[in-house]
Amino acid sequence: DIQMTQSPSSLSASVGDRVTITCRASQSISKYLNWYQHKSGKAPKLLIYVVSSLQSGVPPRFSGSGSGTEFTLTISSLQTEDLATYYCQQSDSMPPTFGGGTKVEIK
Amino acid sequence: EVQLVESGGGLVQPGGSLRLSCAASGFTFSDHYMDWVRQAPGKGLEWVGRARNRANSYTTEYAASVKGRFSISRDDSKNSLSLLMNSLKTEDTAVYYCARAGGWFDPWGQGTLVTVSS
């Protein structure tokens, strides 16, 4: 199975800060990397698919980049509503696997 | 509106069985793969299994942690997905989500809590 490693596991930032989350795959996954936002008690929500495509309705402050084994999710200007845990997920090969999550807190 | 609604969660003893259901609406259910994903308390997301569509012969796949104990089925006439869980273990305690699958998971249901405890 492909292992996905996210860093950091948690972060605390102020409103308006630029936030970057990194996801590394144990082998090349080409462009098959997705990002999800999971707020406590809610359904996970797709933010970005195939590295950098923004899901409909997701604010443009969210962006993704990378290829091969290293990927990033960037929030250009953190907002209070971005309080959540963020997960990367590879869909290059079965089984689909998720990173361990990055919990984003607001200072 | 595309929507998934899970039901059937609850408290079950170790070794017991439980069936979860997922009702889909707002899209052509029969066209899509459907997956189950779970989140144990304090843990991250873990893929459980997949039911492919008719075009792919309704084949299923499972995570190693549940293979041989869990079974996924679908009823395209009722836009419904099921997860039959047998021989449940305490480590199966989690919120179980159904999700429309393919290259990514979207949308997800709100989840149903399964607690395995004596």
Side-chain angles (χ1 to χ4, degrees), chain A residues 68-81:
Chain A
T69 61
E70 188 155 338
F71 304 87
T72 59
L73 172 70
T74 300
I75 307 173
S76 61
S77 178
L78 188 69
Q79 303 300 305
T80 54
E81 60 264 34

Side-chain angles (χ1 to χ4, degrees), chain A residues 5-105:
Chain A
T5 304
Q6 277 181 245
S7 61
S9 57
S10 65
L11 65 90
S12 181
S14 300
V15 171
D17 283 354
R18 183 181 183 88
V19 168
T20 299
I21 299 168
T22 298
C23 178
R24 290 186 173 86
S26 59
Q27 64 189 69
S28 176
I29 57 171
S30 184
K31 61 180 180 178
Y32 300 108
L33 189 283
N34 310 308
W35 291 97
Y36 302 88
Q37 177 190 64
H38 192 193
K39 295 183 177 181
S40 182
K42 303 287 189 181
K45 175 185 174 183
L46 176 68
L47 292 177
I48 290 171
Y49 56 98
V50 291
V51 177
S52 60
S53 294
L54 200 65
Q55 174 68 341
S56 175
V58 174
R61 63 179 179 274
F62 291 94
S63 63
S65 64
S67 66
T69 61
E70 188 155 338
F71 304 87
T72 59
L73 172 70
T74 300
I75 307 173
S76 61
S77 178
L78 188 69
Q79 303 300 305
T80 54
E81 60 264 34
D82 299 336
L83 169 70
T85 301
Y86 294 83
Y87 293 93
C88 61
Q89 175 250 327
Q90 68 82 18
S91 57
D92 179 75
S93 63
M94 291 294 283
T97 46
F98 294 87
T102 297
K103 186 174 184 179
V104 173
E105 298 177 328

Side-chain angles (χ1 to χ4, degrees), chain A residues 1 34 36 38 41-46 48-50 55 87 89-91 94-100, chain B residues 35 37 39 43-47 50 52 61-64 97 102-111:
Chain A
D1 297 1
N34 310 308
Y36 302 88
H38 192 193
K42 303 287 189 181
K45 175 185 174 183
L46 176 68
I48 290 171
Y49 56 98
V50 291
Q55 174 68 341
Y87 293 93
Q89 175 250 327
Q90 68 82 18
S91 57
M94 291 294 283
T97 46
F98 294 87
Chain B
D35 286 22
V37 178
Q39 183 177 36
K43 302 293 187 182
L45 299 171
E46 179 190 18
W47 178 78
R50 170 167 294 177
R52 294 186 177 87
E61 279 195 65
Y62 300 93
Y97 300 96
W104 47 85
F105 299 114
D106 179 68
W108 301 58
Q110 86 288 350

